[in-house]
């Protein structure tokens, strides 16, 4: 079975609820592509109004983080059932901004991944290297380690439902994305790593996205790579350009 493409927007810390609804309403007609799953991962306060705004469409709403406990004295955190009770389908876990600014690490990512599956939330699990690590030649080793720890104790039935996002840190928000061959190389290495852990069937089914300065000009080439199943889009998901990324298959480029 061919993997369905997915394009998810990560709004990061942008958009008041009012602005969020207005942006969603602008984007709904632009993100229609029956071959692509579309989701917006929005700030938690925007979740409920955004869910209202996407009612009747096939757009999913996700959170950008979630805690690995059920409830209790964890000031400032959000629990899985708070998300599922209102209809959240996805959660981004282990984004590099959470790792670098909020002390997230591979172990906490793993706990959150396990908890997300317990609650039937699809995790979008992020991994990626710094420029220094790339220059040191350790990109693939590092990514394999991030993936192996994130998936520790995750069953094959759950693993195949996960979404992985390869986001090289040097490509995030810089306007300089990875070249298609660089993105494809790492996404393939991730799929090979999943195959090593779970075998061929899970590796064929799991979706691997690329993220880092995805825009309307590079989406077509990136999303046509054999191991890239879509994009996790930051800055461009706040603009009408997001519609062009979702419709990457209709963009005409020199290569088609
Ligand atoms: P940009 O698309 O703004 O580079 O951000 C990518 C990202 O971090 C998505 O999670």
């Amino acid at each position: 079975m061919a993997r369905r493409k997915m394009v998810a927007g990560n709004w990061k810390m942008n958009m008041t609820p009012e602005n969020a609804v207005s942006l969603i309403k602008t984007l709904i007609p632009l993100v229609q592509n029956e071959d692509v799953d579309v989701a917006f991962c929005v700030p938690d306060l925007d979740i409920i109004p955004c869910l209202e705004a996407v009612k009747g469409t096939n757009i999913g709403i996700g959170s950008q983080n979630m805690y690995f406990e059920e409830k209790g004295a964890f000031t400032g955190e959000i629990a899985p059932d708070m998300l599922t009770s209102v209809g959240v389908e996805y959660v981004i876990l282990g984004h590099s901004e959470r790792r670098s600014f909020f002390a997230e690490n591979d172990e906490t990512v793993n706990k959150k991944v396990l908890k997300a599956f317990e609650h039937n939330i699809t995790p979008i699990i992020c991994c990626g290297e710094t420029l220094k690590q790339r220059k040191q030649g350790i990109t693939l080793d590092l990514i394999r380690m991030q993936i192996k720890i994130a998936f520790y104790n995750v069953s094959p039935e759950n693993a195949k439902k996960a979404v992985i996002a390869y986001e090289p840190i040097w490509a995030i928000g810089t306007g300089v994305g990875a070249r298609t061959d660089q993105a494809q190389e790492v996404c393939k290495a991730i799929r090979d790593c999943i195959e090593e852990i779970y075998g061929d069937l899970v590796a064929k089914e799991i979706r691997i996205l690329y993220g880092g300065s995805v825009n309307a000009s590079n989406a077509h080439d990136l999303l046509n790579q054999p191991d890239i199943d879509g994009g996790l889009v930051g800055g461009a998901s706040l603009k009408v350009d997001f519609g062009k990324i979702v419709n990457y298959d209709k963009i005409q480029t020199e290569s088609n």
Side-chain angles (χ1 to χ4, degrees):
M1 194 183 69
R3 295 182 295 273
R4 268 180 73 74
K5 295 279 187 198
M6 174 173 191
V7 176
N10 175 7
W11 284 6
K12 309 194 178 183
M13 197 176 72
N14 293 291
M15 297 285 139
T16 62
E18 194 184 342
N19 292 341
V21 169
S22 152
L23 178 60
I24 293 260
K25 287 190 174 156
T26 306
L27 291 178
I28 285 174
L30 306 177
V31 299
Q32 304 303 318
N33 184 339
E34 60 185 24
D35 298 323
V36 178
D37 290 338
V38 177
F40 294 107
C41 297
V42 304
D44 288 337
L45 201 61
D46 297 344
I47 285 174
I48 292 177
C50 285
L51 280 161
E52 274 298 310
V54 300
K55 246 188 206 149
T57 74
N58 52 5
I59 297 167
I61 295 293
S63 178
Q64 300 170 12
N65 184 32
M66 179 201 84
Y67 201 49
F68 52 74
E69 295 288 354
E70 294 292 334
K71 63 176 180 170
F74 304 104
T75 302
E77 292 296 314
I78 193 148
D81 72 350
M82 295 172 189
L83 299 176
T84 51
S85 67
V86 296
V88 168
E89 289 175 67
Y90 301 99
V91 62
I92 296 175
L93 295 177
H95 191 280
S96 61
E97 286 148 19
R98 296 234 39 104
R99 293 176 192 254
S100 57
F101 302 132
F102 304 102
E104 192 87 72
N105 59 44
D106 292 328
E107 275 74 24
T108 54
V109 173
N110 175 239
K111 286 184 186 174
K112 291 178 178 191
V113 169
L114 292 166
K115 188 53 83 176
F117 280 124
E118 238 179 76
H119 287 265
N120 257 323
I121 308 178
T122 301
I124 301 175
I125 304 164
C126 300
C127 59
E129 81 289 1
T130 62
L131 190 57
K132 185 173 175 195
Q133 289 161 335
R134 177 160 280 266
K135 285 184 175 156
Q136 288 169 331
I138 59 170
T139 299
L140 299 186
D141 301 302
L142 181 99
I143 301 286
R144 284 171 55 81
M145 191 173 88
Q146 290 176 337
I147 294 297
K148 285 193 167 181
I149 300 176
F151 282 83
Y152 186 68
N153 275 342
V154 173
S155 69
E157 295 70 36
N158 282 334
K160 68 181 181 203
K161 293 185 273 179
V163 177
I164 297 172
Y166 166 55
E167 299 207 308
I169 296 169
W170 48 271
I172 294 178
T174 59
V176 185
R179 294 192 318 263
T180 47
D181 60 311
Q182 291 173 316
Q184 162 60 23
E185 181 193 27
V186 179
C187 290
K188 176 169 189 318
I190 293 171
R191 202 175 300 287
D192 290 346
C193 180
I194 292 291
E195 184 173 349
E196 260 173 58
I197 308 171
Y198 294 107
D200 188 39
L201 288 180
V202 175
K204 278 202 175 115
E205 217 164 305
I206 198 165
R207 290 191 286 186
I208 304 174
L209 315 182
Y210 166 78
S213 299
V214 176
N215 58 41
S217 324
N218 60 23
H220 177 274
D221 287 346
L222 283 164
L223 272 59
N224 270 308
Q225 298 300 305
D227 288 291
I228 301 181
D229 304 313
L232 182 56
V233 184
S237 71
L238 296 162
K239 304 186 206 152
V240 289
D241 264 18
F242 190 68
K244 295 191 188 141
I245 299 172
V246 172
N247 286 289
Y248 73 97
D249 50 345
K250 289 147 203 132
I251 298 174
Q252 295 297 315
T253 68
E254 281 167 17
S255 58
N256 73 347

